Amino acid sequence: MTTNNEIASPIKFFAGSASRYVAEEIVKGYNPEMRLGESTLLKFSDGEFVTSIDETVRGCTVFLIQSTFPPVENLFELMLMVDAAKRASAEQVVAVIPYFGFARQDRKDKPRVAIGAKLVADLLMASGVNRVMTMDLHADQIQGFFNVPVDHIYASTLFVPYIKSLNLDNLVIASPDMGGAKRAKAYSHFLDAEMVISHKSRSKANMVSEMMVIGDVKDKNVIIVDDMIDTAGTITMAADIIMEKGAKSVRAVATHPVLSGPAYERINKSALIEVITTNSIPIKEGMSDKIKVISIGELFGDVINNVYHHKSISKNFIV
């Protein structure tokens, strides 16, 4: 980035093929008069693909927007776009990754496993990124895997005002597991609410074998907070147990709607009144009336504007 005494380089935005829907909202959030730049994704018959940026970016600050949810081609497409921008003499390349895939692989939790999040960080830096902008990483320490600045945005900036607008009495914030206790505590602090924790044990990945709720939820309006919903097994089990213990209502707040496998079916059959999430990952239309999607466009647009003009982004760090 330039210093305050220098003229800022021109700014341009481009989107990966999987995230164009949200990229358009982010650009609008930055400046309603701006548009996404032109780019092309060409696929060969054997599955190989090539990206090209179809307008000049020489001397520009380029923001490349792509969530890296499956398939892995979304991540590789982003890296190809970074490489294309660098080779086209862009001054700075910022990877805007609303959902950072492979973030659950942040440590060696058993022998002889990869640390996928570190590998992804290394690959992005090797491709030439100068900065990374992402939201609600599964593990905060992933920021340290990069040797470039990382702007880690919190969706609580969007969720807290929405929760307040519900005007719920006897509000309780719940963590779906012990690992989310820090996040739940932060929400309970800003919402001046009590907190409970769900303790779970897994028989294997994506399968919860046992769960118990620690804390009082009787006659309470409970909101479960998490960073993502994958198969929805944990959150729906927690919701059902909370209702069995006498809660008035239960909702879930989760930033990234991965929603794989039986997730939609589980949500529809569960005690959850509402699932509040963002559009960091596209939602399948018509699958559930319980899902409320809040756009991240204005939030990311505001952060990009402040970063580009060397202003503080502290206001976007509620939790």
Side-chain angles (χ1 to χ4, degrees):
M1 299 295 177
T2 58
T3 64
N4 292 330
N5 295 325
E6 296 175 333
I7 298 174
S9 58
I11 184 171
K12 291 197 175 184
F13 296 88
F14 297 89
S17 58
S19 296
R20 190 173 183 90
Y21 72 101
V22 72
E24 290 174 346
E25 294 186 12
I26 290 172
V27 173
K28 184 178 178 181
Y30 173 79
N31 184 343
E33 296 182 0
M34 287 200 70
R35 296 292 181 268
L36 280 171
E38 295 295 325
S39 60
T40 302
L41 177 68
L42 173 64
K43 293 186 177 182
F44 298 100
S45 62
D46 65 348
E48 181 182 339
F49 58 89
V50 61
T51 62
S52 65
I53 294 174
D54 300 334
E55 58 188 72
T56 182
V57 293
R58 185 177 298 274
C60 295
T61 296
V62 175
F63 288 84
L64 302 175
I65 304 167
Q66 175 90 307
S67 282
T68 55
F69 52 86
V72 73
E73 281 82 356
N74 291 333
L75 169 61
F76 194 63
E77 181 187 352
L78 174 61
M79 292 190 293
L80 288 176
M81 293 182 74
V82 173
D83 186 70
K86 295 296 286 189
R87 293 180 186 278
S89 300
E91 182 177 296
Q92 300 283 320
V93 177
V94 182
V96 180
I97 311 172
Y99 171 70
F100 186 92
F102 295 89
R104 285 173 282 190
Q105 302 178 42
D106 63 296
R107 66 196 185 283
K108 288 187 68 175
D109 55 357
K110 62 181 180 179
R112 298 175 297 280
V113 295
I115 304 179
K118 178 63 169 70
L119 178 60
V120 170
D122 289 344
L123 290 170
L124 285 168
M125 287 189 295
S127 66
V129 295
N130 300 106
R131 191 181 196 102
V132 172
M133 190 174 292
T134 188
M135 180 174 64
D136 280 356
L137 289 167
H138 188 67
D140 288 346
Q141 65 264 26
I142 292 173
Q143 298 171 76
F145 294 171
F146 290 91
N147 293 325
V148 296
V150 176
D151 300 305
H152 186 204
I153 303 167
Y154 293 93
S156 52
T157 308
L158 304 172
F159 291 146
V160 167
Y162 179 79
I163 293 170
K164 288 181 176 178
S165 73
L166 297 175
N167 295 316
L168 299 173
D169 59 351
N170 296 322
L171 179 63
V172 167
I173 301 299
S175 170
D177 51 38
M178 301 299 289
K182 179 182 176 183
R183 181 182 298 107
K185 183 178 180 180
Y187 272 83
S188 67
H189 170 73
F190 282 100
L191 293 165
D192 192 25
E194 298 177 12
M195 174 184 143
V196 300
I197 298 174
S198 299
H199 176 67
K200 68 182 179 184
S201 57
R202 291 187 184 274
S203 57
K204 59 182 179 180
N206 288 132
M207 185 173 293
V208 179
S209 59
E210 186 180 4
M211 179 177 287
M212 60 182 292
V213 177
I214 304 170
D216 180 24
V217 295
K218 185 174 177 58
D219 297 324
K220 308 288 187 180
N221 289 300
V222 181
I223 295 181
I224 306 168
V225 297
D226 209 351
D227 65 310
M228 68 171 70
I229 302 180
D230 189 352
T231 63
T234 298
I235 278 183
T236 54
M237 182 181 288
D240 292 343
I241 292 173
I242 286 169
M243 287 301 293
E244 288 173 7
K245 289 187 173 293
K248 289 174 63 178
S249 69
V250 60
R251 293 171 170 82
V253 166
T255 305
H256 306 297
V258 178
L259 298 177
S260 64
Y264 288 99
E265 181 181 358
R266 285 174 172 172
I267 289 171
N268 289 335
K269 290 181 178 180
S270 73
L272 288 165
I273 292 177
E274 186 178 35
V275 175
I276 305 131
T277 187
T278 76
N279 57 346
S280 64
I281 299 174
I283 295 284
K284 294 179 182 178
E285 296 293 332
M287 296 295 288
S288 178
D289 294 332
K290 292 185 177 183
I291 298 175
K292 163 73 175 179
V293 179
I294 299 177
S295 174
I296 61 173
E298 187 173 337
L299 172 61
F300 268 83
D302 182 59
V303 172
I304 289 171
N305 181 64
N306 288 338
V307 167
Y308 179 63
H309 292 101
H310 315 289
K311 297 178 181 179
S312 173
I313 61 173
S314 298
K315 66 179 180 179
N316 300 115
F317 288 79
I318 289 183
V319 177

